[in-house]
Amino acid sequence: MVRLISLLVGAGFVFVLALALFFTAKDAIQNPAPHTAEHAFHQHPENIHLSSAGFFGKFDREQVQRGFQVYKEVCAACHSLKYVAFRDLQKIGYSEAEVKAIANQWVIEQPSVNPETGEVATRKNLPSDHFPSPFANEVAARAANNNALPPDLSLMTKAREDGSNYVHALLMGYRDQPAELLREFPDAKTPDGLHYNPYFANLNIAMPPPITSDGQVTYTDGTKATKDQMARDVAAFLTWTAEPNLEARHAAGVAAIIFLLIFVYLTWGAYQNVWRNVKH
């Protein structure tokens, strides 16, 4: 009796799933998704082949340092990096003295309170501090950016699909709207105050092009700062901020696979040894 009930319950469950699948497919056929400008003209980023990509990927520390320089001189005016501390920069090759100097010289200081008067004040950054926000609060951020809120960049490459490639493509993707788009979708003209970018989800982004010309940043290592190079470098830096332990994770994965291979070999050897005298 119990077995019969179990079979009936299982059959009912399968029937409900099949019914749901049928009606979902029917609705998709009868009411297909509308053809929109976003679907027709949105582009997917190309692979920029960062050294950190792939199973054995490792950070190119010189490139990550250049990316930090781009963030510092271009992006930091609008975008925060609240999950990264100044002292974390030692992981990409900066010395302790250099980190102290970067923190001390950072344009935005830490909010503080005067212990004697209770008045709001500021103080110099310490290596243990996280990167401060360029704005006092969300209202100030929106007021300075045409009511758009600049997102924090700490985890951006993990928050977006194909994140590293997306960052590079977005920075390089600003252009005029194609005439074909306006012919096919006359109502899709980019509104005033926004900028056309086919790599952004709805094609129109509030952020003006941050990287506007070659040589916008002068790299300390002498690398030629083309627009493409700067976009690649800051993408590498934001890949590191989103996953600073990537190399350790890759190393642990390799070690785990090697261990499993050795374990399988020893298990096979033990099996052969135990059953070697047993005739089949």
Side-chain angles (χ1 to χ4, degrees), residues 110-180:
Q110 292 289 336
S112 181
V113 175
N114 188 317
E116 297 179 358
T117 65
E119 295 180 352
V120 177
T122 59
R123 62 167 176 79
K124 294 289 186 179
N125 295 286
L126 301 174
S128 57
D129 289 324
H130 286 69
F131 282 84
S133 172
F135 303 104
N137 50 54
E138 181 178 331
V139 175
R142 290 187 181 278
N145 291 277
N146 196 26
N147 204 39
L149 181 64
D152 180 80
L153 297 183
S154 307
L155 304 176
M156 185 55 65
T157 58
K158 296 189 75 173
R160 298 292 184 269
E161 181 182 1
D162 202 11
S164 303
N165 299 324
Y166 167 81
V167 169
H168 171 265
L170 186 75
L171 293 174
M172 297 297 296
Y174 289 88
R175 62 198 66 173
D176 294 331
Q177 274 190 305
E180 182 185 353

Side-chain angles (χ1 to χ4, degrees), residues 44-236:
H44 296 282
E46 296 180 0
N47 191 343
I48 59 174
H49 302 288
L50 291 180
S51 63
S52 56
F55 189 76
F56 298 101
K58 292 185 177 182
F59 290 115
D60 178 344
R61 277 163 174 69
E62 290 184 355
Q63 182 177 41
V64 175
Q65 287 187 16
R66 292 196 302 269
F68 169 65
Q69 190 176 346
V70 176
Y71 167 77
K72 177 183 177 181
E73 298 183 23
V74 178
C75 309
C78 296
H79 294 278
S80 58
L81 209 63
K82 62 183 180 182
Y83 295 117
V84 182
F86 287 101
R87 62 186 174 192
D88 292 334
L89 295 176
Q90 290 182 253
K91 297 178 181 178
I92 60 173
Y94 287 100
S95 67
E96 185 176 350
E98 288 174 324
V99 169
K100 287 182 179 179
I102 291 171
N104 185 64
Q105 296 168 6
W106 197 257
V107 175
I108 308 298
E109 297 185 339
Q110 292 289 336
S112 181
V113 175
N114 188 317
E116 297 179 358
T117 65
E119 295 180 352
V120 177
T122 59
R123 62 167 176 79
K124 294 289 186 179
N125 295 286
L126 301 174
S128 57
D129 289 324
H130 286 69
F131 282 84
S133 172
F135 303 104
N137 50 54
E138 181 178 331
V139 175
R142 290 187 181 278
N145 291 277
N146 196 26
N147 204 39
L149 181 64
D152 180 80
L153 297 183
S154 307
L155 304 176
M156 185 55 65
T157 58
K158 296 189 75 173
R160 298 292 184 269
E161 181 182 1
D162 202 11
S164 303
N165 299 324
Y166 167 81
V167 169
H168 171 265
L170 186 75
L171 293 174
M172 297 297 296
Y174 289 88
R175 62 198 66 173
D176 294 331
Q177 274 190 305
E180 182 185 353
L181 184 153
L182 296 176
R183 284 197 302 269
E184 190 172 350
F185 303 95
D187 297 333
K189 187 177 185 303
T190 298
D192 292 339
L194 299 184
H195 308 269
Y196 178 76
N197 193 316
Y199 297 100
F200 196 64
N202 66 1
L203 305 182
N204 301 307
I205 185 171
M207 178 177 70
I211 297 177
T212 56
S213 62
D214 293 344
Q216 190 171 343
V217 170
T218 302
Y219 284 135
T220 56
D221 66 358
T223 300
K224 186 176 181 180
T226 63
K227 291 172 63 177
D228 180 73
Q229 184 67 56
M230 288 184 284
R232 287 173 182 270
D233 292 343
V234 78

